[in-house]
């Protein structure tokens, strides 16, 4: 109801006591869809901040306003130096105007996403805050009252349809009436209920910020979940605007961050799958080198200048027809195939590196989405946006270093920190309470994490391989055996001010393993 006619009546009444007699001192904008008006009288100042976006339009009244030195735009300069003579609320309309000396008039048209502020002199429009709403220049601020028949006869004629008799009520008063079974009452009882509610709307004892149907609302009536209660309409609107912008700002930034991360995850997942598919094809397609081997083994059996020959393929243990080039000896063709096989080997190495990098990126993105899902308020979200700014930026940046290596065993991902600083990032940002955390006992080394899978117990064989990695990437790398402690991440904490990589571990268990990298095919 912050733009409801009945609330605006209370607001303009309060504005009269504050504004009449004050001089307009400034009018400017620091943000899109914003107008800040400053008024002064003796040593007093009064500000109106109008935020009129397509998503939310509201007024607020900051006690002071520190204007930025840059990126501000002067607006409605003819106002300056003129005195407010009256504050006029239009009858049955969501608009009011300030009458100032010199024939100036400032119209506040508060029509939801089509809200606007228009400056007039002698009824001629001088300036619109939103020029895109060009038809607003045709509004006559002196002819905006909407007289309506709202007596009992009109009520009976409309058969109690409040939308016809009281179109200014809006949804909250309508919901208030329905909570009291309005539609089930006889006509006379409906009229009495409407009149009782009208008394509260015309002279509210208090103002409420409520939650109704999941949305934050300003109300003159006790309905929904009452969150805050106020006695002054200006204070109410100030706080409602602040709460609303804070809440919706959190939701908007949350959704934007989530969409960006999910999009990047989708792209990374697609690239990873494509790379893995290509890698699988190359690893199993050894036809270049195998064909060359068969040709070299049968040089004496191939007729000169032959274009086709049947030879025994000792790789498949069967006869196979090979196509040859008439102007190329079998030996030259074999050499060419060996070169292709070498290039294929290089491509396999490159794809292996790309696959590993994309897998690392995918884990980082999934962990970021997990961390985002745990954000509860603006402060937490602000810290998240700062910590993950490299993932959320749309600008082309240098490749961000992934703080861990990735290995995989029996479907479980094993992460190994790359440095002391990266150990902190791995443990604090990419590890969750049910993940298994590992470290070589009593020596410096990499943090190792085995990612938990819901409803599953990590096999001992996976734990042993992860422990071998923890030993291999530690100062005990050259020992014959190394004790490795492990525990769920929830029992690992980092003391404030401790050195990079330093943690305190509770409830640890120990595995004794040989330090080695059990994943020979991975670097």
């Amino acid at each position: 109801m912050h733009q409801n006619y009945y609330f605006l009546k209370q607001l303009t009444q309060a504005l009269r006591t504050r504004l009449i007699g004050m001089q307009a001192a400034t009018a400017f904008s620091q943000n899109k869809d914003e107008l800040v008006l400053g008024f002064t009288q003796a040593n007093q100042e009064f500000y109106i901040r109008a935020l009129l976006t397509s998503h939310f339009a509201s007024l607020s009244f900051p006690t002071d306003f520190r204007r930025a030195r840059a990126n501000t735009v002067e607006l409605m300069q003819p106002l300056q130096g003129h005195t407010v003579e009256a504050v006029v609320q239009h009858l049955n309309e969501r608009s009011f105007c300030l009458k100032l000396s010199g024939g100036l008039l400032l119209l506040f048209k508060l029509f939801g996403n089509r809200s606007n502020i228009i400056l007039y002199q002698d009824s001629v429009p001088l300036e619109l805050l939103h020029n895109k709403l060009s038809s607003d220049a045709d509004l006559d601020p002196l002819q905006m009252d909407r007289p309506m028949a709202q007596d009992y006869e009109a009520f009976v004629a409309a058969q109690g349809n409040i939308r016809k008799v009281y179109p200014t009520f809006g949804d909250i008063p309508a919901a208030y009436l329905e909570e009291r079974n309005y539609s089930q009452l006889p006509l006379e009882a409906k009229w009495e209920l409407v009149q009782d509610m009208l008394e509260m709307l015309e002279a509210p004892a208090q103002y409420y910020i409520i939650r109704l149907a999941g949305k934050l609302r300003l109300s003159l009536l006790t309905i929904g979940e009452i969150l805050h209660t106020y006695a002054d309409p200006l204070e109410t609107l100030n706080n409602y605007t602040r709460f609303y912008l804070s809440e919706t700002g959190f939701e908007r930034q949350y959704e934007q961050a989530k969409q960006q991360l999910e999009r990047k995850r989708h792209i990374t997942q697609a690239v990873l799958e494509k790379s893995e598919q290509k890698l699988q094809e190359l690893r199993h397609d050894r036809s270049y080198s195998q064909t060359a081997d068969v040709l070299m083994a049968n040089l004496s059996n191939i007729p000169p200048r032959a274009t086709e020959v049947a030879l025994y393929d000792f790789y498949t243990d069967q006869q196979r027809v090979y196509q040859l080039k008439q102007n190329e000896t079998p030996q030259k063709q074999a050499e060419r195939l060996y070169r292709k096989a070498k290039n294929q080997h290089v491509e396999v190495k490159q794809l292996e590196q790309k696959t590993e990098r994309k897998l690392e990126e995918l884990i980082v993105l999934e962990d970021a989405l997990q961390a985002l899902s745990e954000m509860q308020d603006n402060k937490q979200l602000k810290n998240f946006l700062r910590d993950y700014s490299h993932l959320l930026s749309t600008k082309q940046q240098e490749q961000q270093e992934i703080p861990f290596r990735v290995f995989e065993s029996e479907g479980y991902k094993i992460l190994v920190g790359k440095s002391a600083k990266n150990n902190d990032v791995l443990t604090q940002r990419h590890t969750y309470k049910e993940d298994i955390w590992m470290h070589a006992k009593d020596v410096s080394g990499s943090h190792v994490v085995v990612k938990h899978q819901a409803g599953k117990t990590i096999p001992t064989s996976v734990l042993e391989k992860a422990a071998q990695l923890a030993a291999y990437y530690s100062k005990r790398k050259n020992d014959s055996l190394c004790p490795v402690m492990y525990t769920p991440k929830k029992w690992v904490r980092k003391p404030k001010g401790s050195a990079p990589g330093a943690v305190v571990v509770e409830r640890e268990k120990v595995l004794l393993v040989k330090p080695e990298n059990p994943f020979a095919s991975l670097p």
Side-chain angles (χ1 to χ4, degrees):
M1 291 183 74
H2 72 291
Q3 290 187 329
N4 180 277
Y5 164 66
Y6 294 98
F7 176 73
L8 291 180
K9 281 184 68 176
Q10 305 303 316
L11 182 67
T12 50
Q13 184 175 331
L15 286 175
R16 288 187 191 103
T17 63
R18 299 296 300 273
L19 278 175
I20 292 178
M22 299 191 86
Q23 281 190 347
T26 186
F28 62 92
S29 178
Q30 295 183 159
N31 299 291
K32 185 182 178 183
D33 304 321
E34 173 196 70
L35 175 64
V36 178
L37 298 162
F39 301 85
T40 62
Q41 185 180 45
N43 295 324
Q44 295 183 338
E45 294 181 345
F46 186 78
Y47 291 92
I48 300 176
R49 178 176 181 256
L51 182 65
L52 309 182
T53 72
S54 59
H55 304 291
F56 179 69
S58 184
L59 305 179
S60 58
F61 312 94
T63 53
D64 58 15
F65 202 98
R66 297 181 182 178
R67 182 173 179 176
R69 294 183 180 179
N71 299 322
T72 65
V73 179
E74 294 287 346
L75 297 173
M76 303 187 179
Q77 294 186 41
L79 282 172
Q80 294 185 20
H82 288 276
T83 303
V84 178
E85 297 177 341
V87 179
V88 179
Q89 170 66 50
H90 297 125
L91 178 64
N92 293 322
E93 192 56 275
R94 294 174 295 166
S95 62
F96 66 92
C97 59
L98 306 184
K99 288 187 176 180
L100 297 97
S101 60
L104 290 170
L105 190 145
L106 193 63
L107 172 64
F108 290 77
K109 171 201 161 198
L110 302 174
F111 289 10
N113 62 5
R114 294 186 60 81
S115 295
N116 207 351
I117 297 176
I118 305 105
L119 176 64
Y120 300 82
Q121 184 159 34
D122 300 325
S123 298
V124 177
L126 297 181
E127 188 174 341
L128 285 73
L129 177 62
H130 286 318
N131 289 312
K132 62 186 178 183
L133 301 175
S134 56
S135 61
D136 285 353
D138 299 328
L139 294 173
D140 185 346
L142 301 178
Q143 302 292 326
M144 291 188 68
D145 288 346
R146 284 200 300 169
M148 296 179 183
Q150 295 178 328
D151 53 17
Y152 186 65
E153 287 73 17
F155 188 79
V156 171
Q159 297 182 339
N161 186 331
I162 58 171
R163 292 186 182 276
K164 292 183 178 180
V165 184
Y166 297 98
T168 53
F169 274 176
D171 59 341
I172 290 181
Y176 178 87
L177 292 174
E178 281 308 315
E179 275 194 356
R180 285 148 184 80
N181 299 315
Y182 178 82
S183 58
Q184 308 300 320
L185 297 174
L187 196 59
E188 189 172 334
K190 287 182 178 180
W191 173 253
E192 291 177 1
L193 183 58
V194 168
Q195 298 312 300
D196 289 343
M197 185 181 73
L198 264 173
E199 288 184 15
M200 290 184 279
L201 294 175
E202 296 282 1
Q206 291 181 310
Y207 304 87
Y208 308 98
I209 294 178
I210 65 171
R211 191 171 299 282
L212 184 65
K215 295 182 179 180
L216 197 69
R217 305 292 298 274
L218 187 154
S219 176
L220 305 183
L221 304 167
T222 54
I223 186 174
E225 178 189 0
I226 297 175
L227 305 177
H228 305 281
T229 304
Y230 303 96
D232 177 67
L234 274 70
E235 181 187 13
T236 308
L237 190 52
N238 265 345
N239 285 293
Y240 172 72
T241 301
R242 179 167 58 87
F243 292 146
Y244 183 90
L245 290 175
S246 175
E247 184 171 292
T248 56
F250 172 85
E251 292 172 354
R252 184 174 64 254
Q253 291 187 77
Y254 182 98
E255 286 303 319
Q256 286 176 348
K258 184 179 179 182
Q259 288 175 10
Q260 283 179 273
L261 291 172
E262 286 182 337
R263 179 177 176 274
K264 287 191 174 184
R265 180 178 64 175
H266 175 75
I267 293 172
T268 303
Q269 181 73 54
V271 173
L272 176 62
E273 290 175 356
K274 187 175 181 179
S275 298
E276 287 179 333
Q277 181 181 357
K278 180 66 174 176
L279 188 58
Q280 194 77 2
E281 292 172 358
L282 290 175
R283 280 174 172 166
H284 289 83
D285 182 9
R286 304 185 61 84
S287 58
Y288 292 142
S289 60
Q290 290 178 0
T291 299
D293 289 344
V294 173
L295 292 178
M296 291 300 292
N298 291 277
L299 288 177
S300 59
N301 299 325
I302 302 174
R305 306 180 68 82
T307 57
E308 185 178 279
V309 63
L311 300 172
Y312 171 68
D313 183 351
F314 41 80
Y315 285 104
T316 60
D317 192 26
Q318 59 185 8
Q319 287 291 113
R320 177 181 162 193
V321 175
Y322 292 86
Q323 302 298 321
L324 304 173
K325 290 190 175 182
Q326 187 176 15
N327 298 323
E328 185 177 51
T329 66
Q331 188 171 359
K332 286 291 184 182
Q333 185 163 343
E335 290 175 2
R336 181 166 53 81
L337 291 172
Y338 280 131
R339 283 197 299 272
K340 283 190 174 183
K342 184 177 180 180
N343 292 337
Q344 188 181 56
H345 177 73
V346 172
E347 188 178 359
V348 166
K349 280 294 181 185
Q350 290 174 341
L351 277 171
E352 286 176 342
Q353 292 172 359
K354 183 178 182 179
T355 300
E356 181 180 356
R357 187 171 66 252
K358 290 301 174 184
L359 181 58
E360 292 169 351
E361 291 175 8
L362 186 62
I363 292 172
V364 168
L365 289 165
E366 287 175 344
D367 287 345
L369 282 163
Q370 172 67 27
L372 178 62
S373 70
E374 297 173 1
M375 298 299 102
Q376 299 293 326
D377 55 41
N378 272 319
K379 184 178 180 180
Q380 291 180 348
L381 184 60
K382 184 178 179 180
N383 291 335
F384 173 89
L385 296 176
R386 180 196 64 213
D387 293 342
Y388 290 88
S389 59
H390 60 285
L391 294 179
L392 297 168
S393 174
T394 56
K395 297 179 180 178
Q396 289 289 337
Q397 296 180 331
E398 293 183 7
Q399 182 68 37
Q400 183 76 18
E401 181 191 4
I402 304 299
F404 50 79
R405 301 174 179 86
V406 180
F407 301 90
E408 192 165 346
S409 177
E410 300 177 42
Y412 287 86
K413 292 182 175 62
I414 303 171
L415 315 184
V416 180
K418 293 180 178 178
S419 67
K421 183 179 178 180
N422 286 333
N423 281 340
D424 279 344
V425 177
L426 169 60
T427 298
Q428 302 304 319
R429 194 177 294 175
H430 299 286
T431 310
Y432 297 91
K433 63 180 182 178
E434 297 304 326
D435 295 342
I436 297 298
W437 182 92
M438 292 185 167
H439 195 281
K441 192 170 178 62
D442 300 329
V443 293
S444 59
S446 293
H447 294 192
V448 174
V449 174
V450 184
K451 300 299 285 182
H452 170 73
Q453 295 184 19
K456 295 183 179 180
T457 300
I458 299 174
T460 302
S461 56
V462 175
L463 292 177
E464 288 175 348
K465 289 179 181 177
Q468 286 181 302
L469 288 171
Y472 181 76
Y473 290 101
S474 79
K475 286 294 181 82
R476 292 184 182 270
K477 177 178 180 178
N478 297 318
D479 291 2
S480 57
L481 288 174
C482 172
V484 175
M485 58 180 175
Y486 68 99
T487 189
K489 162 60 174 61
K490 61 185 175 184
W491 302 117
V492 179
R493 59 185 175 85
K494 182 170 181 63
K496 188 174 181 180
S498 60
V503 293
V504 174
V505 183
E506 301 174 13
R507 305 193 185 188
E508 65 185 72
K509 297 180 180 179
V510 175
L511 277 172
L512 196 61
V513 296
K514 180 181 178 182
E516 64 180 6
N517 181 353
F519 305 93
S521 63
L522 293 175

